[in-house]
C-alpha cells in the first residue's frame, strides 16, 4: 500500500498507508486525519477535503475535472495546487505523495 503524508497547517505530519483504488480522501478519513471532513462522502459536492498537491506530483495525480474545478471555487485559499482529495485515486505511483492541508481546515 502506498504511503501518503498529510501535512497539517501547523506542520504536523501524518503518514498513512492507503490501499490502491481508494481515494486520497478515503485514506484520510480512515486514518482520522484532522482537517479532512469529507462532508459529501466523496461525491465531489463540497470542498471539505481540499488539499494542496505539490506541482511536481500534478502529472501523477491528474488534472481536476470540470466538476472538481467548480467545487474548488468554494474552497478557501484555493490556488493552482488545489485538489479535492476525494477525486484523487491512489495508485502505486503515488508512493511518497505529500499533501498539505489549508489553514482554513486546520
Amino acid at each position: 500500500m502506498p504511503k501518503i503524508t498529510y501535512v497539517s497547517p501547523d506542520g504536523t505530519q501524518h503518514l498513512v498507508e492507503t490501499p490502491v483504488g481508494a481515494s486520497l480522501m478515503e485514506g484520510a478519513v480512515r486514518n482520522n486525519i484532522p482537517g479532512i471532513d469529507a462532508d459529501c462522502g466523496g461525491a465531489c459536492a463540497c470542498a471539505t477535503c481540499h488539499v494542496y498537491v505539490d506541482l511536481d506530483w500534478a502529472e501523477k495525480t491528474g488534472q481536476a475535472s470540470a466538476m472538481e474545478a467548480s467545487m474548488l471555487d468554494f474552497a478557501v485559499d484555493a490556488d493552482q495546487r488545489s485538489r479535492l482529495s476525494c477525486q484523487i485515486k491512489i495508485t502505486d505511483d503515488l508512493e511518497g505523495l505529500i499533501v498539505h492541508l489549508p489553514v482554513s481546515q486546520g
Side-chain angles (χ1 to χ4, degrees):
M1 283 193 282
K3 292 182 178 95
I4 311 294
T5 302
Y6 299 82
V7 182
S8 297
D10 68 2
T12 303
Q13 295 186 9
H14 308 272
L15 178 65
V16 301
E17 291 184 329
T18 303
V20 169
S23 72
L24 192 61
M25 180 271 308
E26 289 170 321
V29 169
R30 288 179 186 161
N31 290 281
N32 299 312
I33 302 299
I36 301 290
D37 294 336
D39 289 343
C40 73
C44 195
C46 71
T48 61
C49 68
H50 175 214
V51 295
Y52 297 117
V53 176
D54 189 287
L55 295 178
D56 292 340
W57 286 92
E59 186 175 322
K60 290 183 180 180
T61 57
Q63 293 187 335
S65 67
M67 180 188 296
E68 180 182 354
S70 71
M71 282 291 99
L72 284 167
D73 288 341
F74 296 101
V76 176
D77 297 326
D79 65 22
Q80 73 275 12
R81 303 168 298 146
S82 293
R83 290 294 308 274
L84 297 181
S85 60
C86 67
Q87 298 302 297
I88 299 173
K89 293 293 181 195
I90 300 299
T91 65
D92 286 327
D93 289 341
L94 296 183
E95 171 69 37
L97 174 65
I98 299 171
V99 296
H100 294 263
L101 301 169
V103 172
S104 62
Q105 291 171 212

